[in-house]
């Protein structure tokens, strides 16, 4: 995997330079560990940390995020023989997210270790999506559950995986209006929104492209709706059925960093791919229902 980003924190600079050369010779990107790598970019599966064990504050911050089962920040912890690093790793919530290695031995197995940790993170990401698919299927099969209740539960799971506090799913109806089918703000469920040039969701519908908003007050494309964003930054992305625009997925109030980015967009699209068959089934059911009412 050539687009890997390897973040290092090693006190011995000569040794770190040697590791950096191995990283660069492998075609990977190197970065010295910074807080954004840990707090925000850990959402990408394409990142591995190499950290000397005496950087305890860095390791504790990583463990704060790794203690969430949805996250997988792959970390190679380098240590000296007298280190108590092994005990620390045994005490974390998910030890498999860490690999312990002697400082001087690491250079001989650096490439293999980085590849292995990266593969584990990618496998974990796929497992999270698989569990989302299985849970979504189980929810849908509950015979007593109506479609809005199903979407509401799917939305809650999606927000947890995308580190967003608020969100909504809006679908086009037979009249050509957008209807809020699921939302963290329950009062707006069922709200019908006709076409509008200065509405974020309708911009997504008209362009079939995602919209990232940093500050809606200062964005000339839109008027602030008054529906109440706790924070002004959010992301809205298109929902497709059979490659045709069918609705909008909105995310706001991100928990881990200021702005939504392409990592969020890619992960949200993975979840929408899981939801697409259920949205299509509901669309067919509505169509059949309308024929019966004619």
């Amino acid at each position: 995997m050539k687009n890997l980003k390897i973040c290092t924190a090693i006190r011995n600079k000569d040794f770190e330079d040697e590791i950096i050369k191995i990283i660069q010779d492998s075609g990977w990107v190197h970065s010295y560990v910074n807080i954004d790598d840990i707090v925000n970019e850990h959402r990408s599966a394409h990142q591995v940390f190499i950290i000397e064990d005496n950087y305890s504050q860095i390791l504790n911050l990583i463990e704060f995020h790794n203690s969430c089962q949805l996250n997988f920040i792959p970390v190679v912890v380098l240590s000296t023989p007298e280190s108590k690093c092994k005990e620390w790793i045994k005490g974390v919530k998910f030890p498999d997210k860490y690999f312990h290695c002697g400082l001087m031995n690491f250079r001989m197995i650096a490439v293999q270790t980085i590849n292995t940790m990266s593969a584990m993170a990618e496998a974990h990401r796929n497992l999270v999506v698989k569990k989302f698919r299985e849970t979504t299927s189980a929810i849908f099969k509950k015979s007593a559950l109506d479609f809005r209740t199903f979407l509401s539960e799917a939305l809650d799971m999606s927000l947890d995986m995308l580190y967003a506090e608020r969100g909504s799913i809006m679908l086009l109806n037979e009249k050509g209006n957008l209807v809020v089918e699921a939302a963290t703000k329950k009062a707006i469920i069922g709200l019908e929104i006709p076409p509008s040039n200065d509405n974020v969701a309708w911009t997504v519908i008209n362009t079939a492209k995602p919209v990232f908003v940093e500050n809606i007050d200062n964005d000339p494309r839109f008027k602030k709706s008054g529906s109440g964003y706790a924070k002004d930054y959010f992301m809205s992305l298109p929902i497709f059925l059979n490659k045709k625009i069918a609705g909008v997925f909105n995310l706001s109030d991100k928990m881990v960093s200021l702005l939504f980015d392409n990592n969020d967009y890619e992960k949200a699209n993975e979840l929408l791919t899981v939801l697409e068959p259920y949205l299509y089934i509901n669309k067919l059911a509505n169509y059949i229902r309308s024929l019966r009412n004619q």
Side-chain angles (χ1 to χ4, degrees):
M1 187 178 290
K2 293 298 181 183
N3 61 341
L4 266 180
K5 180 180 180 181
I6 316 300
C7 306
T8 64
I10 304 170
R11 290 197 186 276
N12 184 324
K13 292 306 171 187
D14 289 337
F15 181 77
E16 186 169 46
D17 288 343
E18 187 176 343
I19 299 304
I20 291 170
K21 186 176 187 307
I22 293 173
I23 291 167
Q24 293 172 339
D25 288 347
S26 299
W28 299 322
V29 176
H30 172 260
S31 171
Y32 295 107
V33 172
N34 62 66
I35 192 167
D36 189 58
D37 289 323
I38 301 169
V39 175
N40 189 30
E41 290 195 21
H42 76 265
R43 293 168 296 111
S44 168
H46 310 310
Q47 185 172 246
V48 175
F49 287 79
I50 302 171
I51 301 173
E52 196 172 339
D53 65 337
N54 50 28
Y55 281 102
S56 57
Q57 288 184 320
I58 295 176
L59 287 171
N60 288 333
L61 180 59
I62 289 174
E63 173 54 19
F64 175 78
H65 291 280
N66 259 343
S67 62
C68 171
Q69 189 171 8
L70 294 174
N71 300 334
F72 193 119
I73 308 176
V75 183
V76 179
V77 185
L78 304 180
S79 70
T80 56
E82 63 273 13
S83 169
K84 296 182 179 179
C85 175
K86 285 186 179 180
E87 286 73 18
W88 182 86
I89 292 176
K90 287 179 182 177
V92 302
K93 192 169 183 180
F94 300 107
D96 290 346
K97 298 175 184 180
Y98 301 88
F99 176 80
H100 172 258
C101 184
L103 187 66
M104 292 299 109
N105 294 330
F106 179 64
R107 60 165 67 87
M108 295 181 289
I109 59 171
V111 173
Q112 297 91 328
T113 303
I114 290 169
N115 275 321
T116 299
M117 295 303 291
S118 175
M120 289 176 64
E122 184 65 36
H124 179 267
R125 175 172 173 164
N126 293 336
L127 181 62
V128 167
V129 175
K130 180 185 177 187
K131 287 183 177 179
F132 177 77
R133 183 180 291 108
E134 292 170 349
T135 305
T136 301
S137 176
I139 294 170
F140 190 77
K141 288 176 182 176
K142 291 180 183 177
S143 58
L145 217 55
D146 65 30
F147 190 67
R148 282 185 175 171
T149 304
F150 161 74
L151 275 188
S152 179
E153 293 195 30
L155 175 65
D156 288 343
M157 287 192 297
S158 300
L159 295 179
D160 284 342
M161 296 173 69
L162 295 165
Y163 308 96
E165 294 178 3
R166 301 176 69 182
S168 63
I169 296 174
M170 311 167 78
L171 298 175
L172 288 168
N173 66 8
E174 67 282 356
K175 296 186 292 184
N177 295 333
L178 273 171
V179 179
V180 180
E181 299 289 353
T184 47
K185 188 177 181 180
K186 304 304 181 187
I188 66 172
I189 294 176
L191 181 68
E192 194 165 331
I193 305 167
S196 170
N197 291 330
D198 53 17
N199 179 275
V200 175
W202 272 104
T203 298
V204 174
I205 293 293
N206 293 332
T207 63
K209 294 180 180 179
V211 170
F212 298 85
V213 175
E214 181 173 345
N215 188 329
I216 197 168
D217 284 329
N218 299 329
D219 197 317
R221 295 175 295 176
F222 314 113
K223 293 179 181 177
K224 191 149 185 175
S225 65
S227 58
Y229 292 105
K231 302 168 186 173
D232 286 327
Y233 48 89
F234 55 90
M235 176 178 72
S236 297
L237 61 152
I239 298 172
F240 294 100
L241 293 180
N242 290 337
K243 298 182 180 180
K244 293 182 179 179
I245 190 77
V248 179
F249 183 24
N250 301 300
L251 298 165
S252 70
D253 299 9
K254 191 173 176 180
M255 292 180 281
V256 294
S257 72
L258 182 61
L259 302 176
F260 290 96
D261 59 20
N262 283 326
N263 283 328
D264 302 297
Y265 175 62
E266 290 174 7
K267 186 173 282 188
N269 270 323
E270 283 186 285
L271 303 185
L272 287 177
T273 299
V274 174
L275 290 179
E276 183 174 352
Y278 305 105
L279 299 177
Y280 187 67
I281 290 170
N282 181 66
K283 185 177 180 178
L284 286 178
N286 288 338
Y287 176 69
I288 293 169
R289 198 176 297 116
S290 67
L291 290 179
R292 288 175 177 170
N293 292 334
Q294 287 180 2

